[in-house]
Amino acid sequence: MPLPVASVVAILLAGLLAALSPRMLARLPEPTGEPEPDMPPKIPYAELAGARWLGLWLALPAMVLAGVAAATISEPALLPVWVPIAAATPVLAWVDWKVHLLPYLIVAPLYVVTWLLTGLGALLMRDASVLLGALIGNVLVFGFYFVLALIGPMGYGDVRLSAVVGVGLGPLGLVATYYGVFFGLCIGAVVGLVLVRGRLGRNIPIAFGPYLLLGAFAAVWV
């Protein structure tokens, strides 16, 4: 498939998947257990999914993110890996912003699909180093965020999501992987300072998942 055609297909597919994501969100089971202290009341997933024109608002940024990946990833066989990541980023950001949770039933399938598409890319390229890069990225990024969760307020949902980012960035090289982590932390730190110490003037929990994902796409762009 010619690269411009593949890019258009990737953008449209990411938009379609994102537009359909509210239906999946509405069917997610609610988390069990006691809410964490100082957390806002949990909004039901079905209520989040019922926001007016949500499918359209999720599709637009997904298409932009897929366009960023399509414009900057030079190896066509690796582009499909970023389509589901682009499609999932807006809905994960929406949920994380509203309820400070990253649903396991979205992140776990995304992780599996990312690995499957990475494996397909390695097969098409006939290059086992793609899988090795994905494994290294998975271990390094997940390990880094796992340590952050042990010593700081990082949620384990963010740690799980970091594994997806690591698998996607790993085949693009150690530099891209480093920048993905660096940009994510920078974006999260800047927004966190604004929310906690800026005009809002109050302590609030920080939804880090959106910044983790945006950092990955920023690294792809660079």
Side-chain angles (χ1 to χ4, degrees), residues 139-162:
V139 172
L140 290 179
V141 179
F142 179 84
F144 176 77
Y145 280 99
F146 184 79
V147 172
L148 282 186
L150 292 178
I151 63 177
M154 185 74 63
Y156 195 67
D158 299 317
V159 178
R160 285 194 293 259
L161 183 60
S162 73

Side-chain angles (χ1 to χ4, degrees), residues 6 11 22 62 83 161:
I11 292 169
V83 172
L161 183 60

Side-chain angles (χ1 to χ4, degrees), residues 157-210:
D158 299 317
V159 178
R160 285 194 293 259
L161 183 60
S162 73
V164 177
V165 171
V167 175
L169 289 174
L172 303 180
L174 288 176
V175 173
T177 304
Y178 166 79
Y179 276 119
V181 174
F182 176 75
F183 288 147
L185 291 174
C186 287
I187 297 171
V190 170
V191 176
L193 286 173
V194 171
L195 292 177
V196 175
R197 298 182 180 179
R199 294 181 179 180
L200 294 182
R202 58 191 177 92
N203 292 326
I204 59 174
I206 304 299
F208 190 74

Side-chain angles (χ1 to χ4, degrees), residues 5-195:
V5 176
S7 300
V8 172
V9 171
I11 292 169
L12 294 178
L13 183 57
L16 176 61
L17 292 173
L20 295 175
S21 62
R23 297 188 180 187
M24 175 181 62
L25 178 61
R27 290 167 172 77
L28 289 181
E30 294 294 333
T32 58
E34 294 294 327
E36 296 184 10
D38 301 324
M39 291 294 288
K42 169 69 172 66
I43 304 172
Y45 290 134
E47 183 177 335
L48 290 176
R52 186 175 178 84
W53 302 108
L54 180 61
L56 175 61
W57 291 115
L58 297 181
L60 292 176
M63 294 173 72
V64 171
L65 293 175
V68 168
T72 53
I73 294 177
S74 58
E75 176 51 61
L78 295 179
L79 177 57
V81 175
W82 290 88
V83 172
I85 299 177
T89 293
V91 68
L92 287 174
W94 170 249
V95 175
D96 205 13
W97 266 101
K98 287 293 187 178
V99 297
H100 301 280
L101 289 172
L102 291 168
Y104 175 79
L105 291 179
I106 295 180
V107 176
L110 180 62
Y111 177 72
V112 173
V113 169
T114 302
W115 262 114
L116 289 175
L117 292 175
T118 300
L120 178 60
L123 183 62
L124 293 173
M125 296 168 64
R126 298 182 180 180
D127 186 356
S129 68
V130 171
L131 293 176
L132 179 60
L135 179 60
I136 292 173
N138 189 156
V139 172
L140 290 179
V141 179
F142 179 84
F144 176 77
Y145 280 99
F146 184 79
V147 172
L148 282 186
L150 292 178
I151 63 177
M154 185 74 63
Y156 195 67
D158 299 317
V159 178
R160 285 194 293 259
L161 183 60
S162 73
V164 177
V165 171
V167 175
L169 289 174
L172 303 180
L174 288 176
V175 173
T177 304
Y178 166 79
Y179 276 119
V181 174
F182 176 75
F183 288 147
L185 291 174
C186 287
I187 297 171
V190 170
V191 176
L193 286 173
V194 171
L195 292 177

